[in-house]
Amino acid sequence: MATLLLKKNEGHIIRMAEEVINVTAQPMSEPVHNISKAIFLQTTTAQVVSGIFVWAALFITCQQIYQHLRWYTNPSEQRWIVRILFIVPIYGIYSWISLLFFMGDSYYVYFFTVRDCYEAFVIYSFLSLCYEYLGGEGNIMSELRGRPVRASCVNGTCCLSGATYTIGFLRFCKQATLQFCLIKPVCAFVIIFLQSAGHYHDGDWSPSGGYIYITIIYNFSVSLALYSLFLFLGATREMLKPFDPVLKFFTVKSVIFLSFWQGVALAILEKAEVISPIIDENGIPTTAGTVSAGYQNFLICIEMLAAGVALRYAFPAGVYAHARRDPHRSVTMQSISSSLKETMNPKDIMTDAFHNFHPQYQQYTQYSSDVTSHLPYEKL
């Protein structure tokens, strides 16, 4: 009897121990789940996979840039093409570095600053490239002046029924893209300042934080820039047909808008608490905004390979390789370096901004960098 009682007691003790173990194990399930999410973005697998995609995109795009600089037969066009192509290295490298520094709450903001500022420059570069395709502002205006604006609610021109194209239309298109080139860097530096002061966190929609205001300003600015680009392509689509503008516009727009709407979707998921703060194995907490930015960086790294392939088909270098070349110009590393310096020189951008915003030039149509003709300015 004593033996049986002891066995029963032992069984009871064992059952109680199991119950205690089960009770104490349950609260640990959620932190373990959170740690697993943190580990993925920190793992060597995530870093290697994203790195492979980025370096493959860099190889494709840098080889294309090299070909354009090697056959630099049309600088007025290829200058803008090379500037557009640089979006892949800049987006890819900065996104990958941000992913490597994933656990740093503020590091990714500084990388985003450089990356997103170039985004504004790409929109302006594409519009400027279209100008070059069509022979410049003067040639475009000679074709468009007096033509009626096609009223359409889809195009956002329903209120312009009966209006005609004037120099004011081209001036608006350039000003709308240039304003984004100005506002985006300003917003980026404001974000850095607010971040250092503790008043900016991704996904924080509180009125006391800076995220909601920066988001509103950014959305308005980028929408205005892309809307003006859309209007310009709609007005000149027949003139641009030989240059396949649809593929080029779709490619550039996809690179910029895909990353933008991904960020919006991740911010919504963060607000809905689908993406939540996490704790690593050392017990260090990471905010939901940082986690969201980590996923954004990982996705951009993957997408840059597709962007590099698409840009290769949209802006082929073969067109310029077969063009008539200067017989006195030899293709050397020095000449390629010289072409790259010319491409990166921002002097033409500052001149264009001055021409489009200075009140003195609002009544002039620019036919070349040095010659303008006096044409009356009419408000569209």
Side-chain angles (χ1 to χ4, degrees):
M1 290 291 292
T3 304
L4 290 174
L5 182 59
L6 179 59
K7 287 182 178 180
K8 287 182 179 180
N9 289 339
E10 288 176 349
H12 181 66
I13 291 170
I14 292 172
R15 283 195 298 271
M16 287 186 65
E18 289 176 351
E19 290 175 1
V20 170
I21 292 172
N22 289 336
V23 170
T24 55
Q26 288 175 0
M28 292 295 294
S29 61
E30 185 60 27
V32 169
H33 178 64
N34 282 342
I35 289 174
S36 65
K37 291 194 292 186
I39 289 174
F40 168 72
L41 292 175
Q42 287 185 288
T43 54
T44 304
T45 301
Q47 296 174 358
V48 169
V49 169
S50 59
I52 290 173
F53 276 84
V54 168
W55 285 102
L58 286 177
F59 175 79
I60 293 173
T61 306
C62 289
Q63 193 269 345
Q64 185 182 4
I65 292 173
Y66 170 79
Q67 291 297 328
H68 274 286
L69 295 175
R70 182 184 181 188
W71 309 111
Y72 204 57
T73 57
N74 192 338
S76 60
E77 292 181 9
Q78 289 176 280
R79 177 189 303 118
W80 300 109
I81 292 175
V82 171
R83 289 169 175 174
I84 292 171
L85 293 177
F86 263 106
I87 192 174
V88 172
I90 289 175
Y91 261 51
I93 290 175
Y94 280 98
S95 296
W96 190 51
I97 294 176
S98 297
L99 190 62
L100 296 180
F101 290 95
F102 164 67
M103 291 304 292
D105 268 0
S106 59
Y107 290 149
Y108 72 92
V109 174
Y110 304 105
F111 296 127
F112 277 16
T113 300
V114 178
R115 189 187 73 188
D116 293 349
C117 285
Y118 200 79
E119 165 189 302
F121 181 57
V122 167
I123 296 176
Y124 166 73
S125 296
F126 181 71
L127 179 61
S128 298
L129 176 62
C130 291
Y131 269 59
E132 293 298 334
Y133 281 153
L134 301 179
E137 187 178 274
N139 288 341
I140 298 171
M141 201 65 256
S142 64
E143 292 287 337
L144 289 182
R145 178 173 278 106
R147 283 172 47 184
V149 178
R150 186 176 302 173
S152 170
C153 293
V154 176
N155 296 337
T157 57
C158 53
C159 58
L160 299 177
S161 178
T164 59
Y165 289 109
T166 67
I167 185 60
F169 170 75
L170 294 184
R171 197 68 68 236
F172 166 77
C173 292
K174 271 294 182 73
Q175 289 174 349
T177 53
L178 284 167
Q179 60 81 25
F180 187 43
C181 293
L182 174 64
I183 289 178
K184 183 59 185 176
V186 171
C187 287
F189 285 108
V190 169
I191 288 174
I192 292 176
F193 175 76
L194 293 177
Q195 174 84 14
S196 61
H199 296 299
Y200 183 89
H201 302 284
D202 278 335
D204 180 13
W205 301 95
S206 171
S208 61
Y211 178 79
I212 185 173
Y213 305 108
I214 294 293
T215 301
I216 291 173
I217 294 172
Y218 172 81
N219 286 340
F220 176 79
S221 181
V222 70
S223 298
L224 181 61
L226 287 170
Y227 174 66
S228 67
L229 184 58
F230 181 72
L231 286 180
F232 178 82
L233 293 177
T236 60
R237 59 183 177 182
E238 295 298 327
M239 302 163 61
L240 284 170
K241 266 187 178 180
F243 305 99
D244 199 7
V246 176
L247 175 61
K248 292 177 172 63
F249 177 65
F250 177 78
T251 304
V252 172
K253 184 179 178 181
S254 296
V255 173
I256 294 172
F257 251 67
L258 185 61
S259 62
F260 169 71
W261 287 113
Q262 269 181 185
V264 172
L266 289 169
I268 293 173
L269 292 175
E270 181 186 337
K271 184 66 176 178
E273 297 184 355
V274 175
I275 298 176
S276 56
I278 55 177
I279 302 174
D280 68 2
E281 61 270 15
N282 297 321
I284 301 174
T286 300
T287 63
T290 301
V291 178
S292 175
Y295 286 125
Q296 171 78 325
N297 286 320
F298 182 80
L299 291 173
I300 289 177
C301 289
I302 304 300
E303 292 157 0
M304 281 304 102
L305 178 57
V309 174
L311 288 169
R312 190 178 187 87
Y313 285 100
F315 302 98
V319 177
Y320 303 97
H322 302 328
R324 180 179 296 177
R325 298 180 60 248
D326 184 356
H328 302 291
R329 181 180 183 272
S330 59
V331 180
T332 62
M333 289 306 298
Q334 184 177 358
S335 66
I336 292 174
S337 175
S338 177
S339 299
L340 181 60
K341 289 179 181 178
E342 180 185 344
T343 299
M344 294 293 105
N345 190 343
K347 183 179 179 180
D348 57 336
I349 305 170
M350 294 185 289
T351 301
D352 195 29
F354 179 80
H355 172 78
N356 280 278
F357 282 106
H358 198 284
Q360 181 180 351
Y361 294 97
Q362 297 305 304
Q363 298 180 352
Y364 293 80
T365 299
Q366 187 175 12
Y367 280 86
S368 68
S369 57
D370 301 315
V371 182
T372 58
S373 65
H374 296 256
L375 293 174
Y377 174 82
E378 300 172 5
K379 195 172 184 179
L380 183 62

